[in-house]
Amino acid sequence: LPALAADCRADAYDAMQELRIDGLADGATIARAPNSANPASVRLRALGAGGEVSWLVNGRLAAITQGSAVFEQTFAETGTQTITALTAAGAWAQIEIDVLR
């Protein structure tokens, strides 16, 4: 087997963060509260993050949080929404939800 490049040492993989989005399951469906004029919203956290977390909704930057701080997002539009949490180290997690109303 060829030697590993310096940036691909066996221990580099072990140092990577494992990131998980907490608060909703992938494939969840949400809706605003009955008789409410407020749009549907979610509160999520990025578990496993030690530093800055960038939150993207449908590929657009929505917020930056620190560690496992809460990220809250409201949805003015219905339909499928993709939420991604991304750390500066390159770890990421993604869920897709359906917003009904």
Side-chain angles (χ1 to χ4, degrees):
L1 292 175
L4 294 173
D7 61 345
C8 295
R9 285 188 225 125
D11 63 340
Y13 182 77
D14 295 333
M16 287 183 61
Q17 294 175 328
E18 184 175 320
L19 198 62
R20 184 173 68 84
I21 296 175
D22 180 56
L24 276 180
D26 187 36
T29 300
I30 65 167
R32 69 176 181 219
N35 300 319
S36 174
N38 297 329
S41 65
V42 295
R43 292 173 53 94
L44 305 171
R45 296 181 312 141
L47 299 182
E52 194 171 86
V53 178
S54 297
W55 291 91
L56 301 126
V57 177
N58 299 324
R60 293 194 170 115
L61 182 63
I64 296 175
T65 60
Q66 291 294 318
S68 62
V70 172
F71 161 65
E72 188 165 354
Q73 175 69 29
T74 57
F75 298 96
E77 297 181 18
T78 60
T80 301
Q81 310 289 328
T82 302
I83 303 168
T84 307
L86 176 67
T87 69
W92 62 278
Q94 186 174 72
I95 61 171
E96 196 169 87
I97 64 169
D98 289 316
V99 178
L100 296 181
R101 57 183 183 101

